Amino acid sequence: MNYRHAFHAGNFADILKHLVLAQCVEHLNAKPKPYRYIDTHSGIGGYDLAGDEAERSPEWKDGIGRLINADLPDEVESLLAPYLGIVRDMNEGDTLRHYPGSPEIATRLMREGDRLHLCELHPQDSETLDARYKRDKRVKVEQRDGYKALKSLVPPPEKRGLVLIDPPFEDKDELAHMAEAVMAALDKWPAGTFVFWRSLKNLWAADRFDNGLAEWLISEKQLAPEKILRADLWIRDLASEGKLAGAGVVVINPPWTLEEKLVEGLPWIADTLAQGDGYGWRVDGALTDEDLEDLAD
């Protein structure tokens, strides 16, 4: 309840999360049937990079600030175009003042017949979120615990859609809460696309969580290995002290084009956003070939 994303808006972790979100939404747009976007931890929708919080902790300057006017290689342009297009549309000229949260990315990419369900537990942030979208008939905002809400929100009437789970990680058991919510929701909606963000303190901890979830999905839910995709980015050695050095997403039922685009674009993004030695990236399915053979046995 104390977390304020405005301090971190537009940083490297937001870039990876939001470019993946934009790619997933664009993939859903490729078919004419309507769909639903569900955001369990919505925040306030958009952020003022000249506001007090962003000025006190201007992480965006080494994040979106480095990308917005960069000369992008073709393979990076393909990956970033939907996301960067929104950031540019929200700002005038070369001045970077406004940054989209995940609800703003979704509302700007989604179509008239699609629907959005946004959950935000923080009272003030929920009120701000509701005021931002009260004139958009596609959007419903609830002041509600997104984890508890998720099971009742799926499957949506449209049967197609995307869930983003992006918690503040204030609770030491956040990963467990996230896994529990994803498992319960997948039981009811196995065809949905689920994107969940998690901080990356060290690769061992992330592997332990990701592999456990992947094993459950493959062995218990009979999900094909290619239906699980992991993308991580770290801007300096993960063992370094100070601010968060790494973060990433796990995508269940990802767009079939996403892995290739990430593999082509993330090396350049990592080089561009690096803040020290030991930076890097990875894109994989969480489980190794050997792990998959063990499951098959």
Side-chain angles (χ1 to χ4, degrees):
M1 294 295 289
N2 296 319
Y3 178 85
R4 277 296 197 275
H5 189 66
F7 289 102
H8 314 287
N11 69 2
F12 80 94
D14 259 3
I15 288 171
L16 179 56
K17 172 180 62 184
H18 288 153
L19 72 86
V20 168
L21 171 62
Q23 285 288 333
C24 290
V25 174
E26 285 288 76
H27 182 75
L28 287 167
N29 286 339
K31 293 184 178 180
K33 291 184 179 181
Y35 60 89
R36 184 163 302 220
Y37 169 74
I38 300 168
D39 198 325
T40 62
H41 299 76
S42 296
I44 61 175
Y47 300 90
D48 182 1
L49 298 181
D52 180 60
E53 295 94 340
E55 284 294 305
R56 286 162 54 192
S57 181
E59 296 179 21
W60 65 270
K61 292 183 179 180
D62 287 322
I64 188 60
R66 294 189 186 185
L67 287 190
I68 192 65
N69 294 314
D71 186 13
L72 305 179
D74 289 345
E75 65 273 16
V76 180
E77 176 68 32
S78 174
L79 176 64
L80 292 179
Y83 158 62
L84 284 185
I86 293 170
V87 179
R88 294 185 179 116
D89 287 346
M90 294 177 66
N91 294 277
E92 296 182 6
D94 294 334
T95 301
L96 193 58
R97 172 71 186 266
H98 304 287
Y99 185 79
S102 49
E104 188 69 15
I105 289 173
T107 57
R108 286 176 178 258
L109 290 177
M110 293 173 70
R111 306 159 304 185
E112 184 177 352
D114 303 320
R115 294 292 180 266
L116 300 89
H117 200 118
L118 309 178
C119 298
E120 174 52 51
L121 185 59
H122 194 287
Q124 183 179 345
D125 287 356
S126 180
E127 184 177 339
T128 301
L129 186 70
D130 189 52
R132 187 180 186 94
Y133 298 115
K134 65 181 180 180
R135 292 184 177 86
D136 192 331
K137 295 181 180 179
R138 301 173 301 167
V139 181
K140 180 176 182 178
V141 175
E142 284 192 288
Q143 183 189 338
R144 189 176 180 188
D145 184 321
Y147 287 137
K148 295 179 180 178
L150 183 56
K151 192 172 182 180
S152 66
L153 295 176
V154 298
E158 296 84 0
K159 306 300 181 184
R160 301 178 66 227
L162 165 67
V163 174
L164 176 66
I165 304 177
D166 174 27
F169 277 85
E170 289 184 311
D171 190 324
K172 64 181 178 66
D173 294 323
E174 198 76 69
L175 284 174
H177 298 322
M178 184 186 295
E180 183 179 1
V182 170
M183 290 175 177
L186 272 167
D187 273 337
K188 298 184 65 179
W189 193 27
T193 294
F194 292 80
V195 179
F196 52 93
W197 179 93
R198 76 272 190 278
S199 58
L200 195 62
K201 300 295 185 181
N202 62 70
L203 295 181
W204 177 84
D207 286 348
R208 185 179 180 188
F209 170 78
D210 298 341
N211 292 347
L213 180 61
E215 288 175 6
W216 180 83
L217 290 169
I218 293 170
S219 61
E220 298 296 326
K221 306 308 294 181
Q222 303 302 305
L223 198 70
E226 60 269 22
K227 296 294 186 179
I228 307 166
L229 179 65
R230 171 174 64 182
D232 289 322
L233 173 67
W234 52 99
I235 54 175
R236 57 184 176 276
D237 194 314
L238 289 171
S240 62
E241 298 181 359
K243 296 178 180 178
L244 183 69
V249 295
V250 175
V251 187
I252 300 172
N253 295 320
W256 65 271
T257 57
L258 183 58
E259 181 174 5
E260 181 179 356
K261 287 184 176 181
L262 287 170
V263 169
E264 291 178 344
L266 270 185
W268 183 91
I269 293 173
D271 288 342
T272 302
L273 300 183
Q275 295 182 27
D277 295 335
Y279 71 91
W281 63 278
R282 66 178 177 182
V283 176
D284 58 30
L287 294 180
T288 66
D289 290 339
E290 185 177 343
D291 293 328
L292 294 172
E293 290 175 4
D294 289 342
L295 283 175
D297 293 338

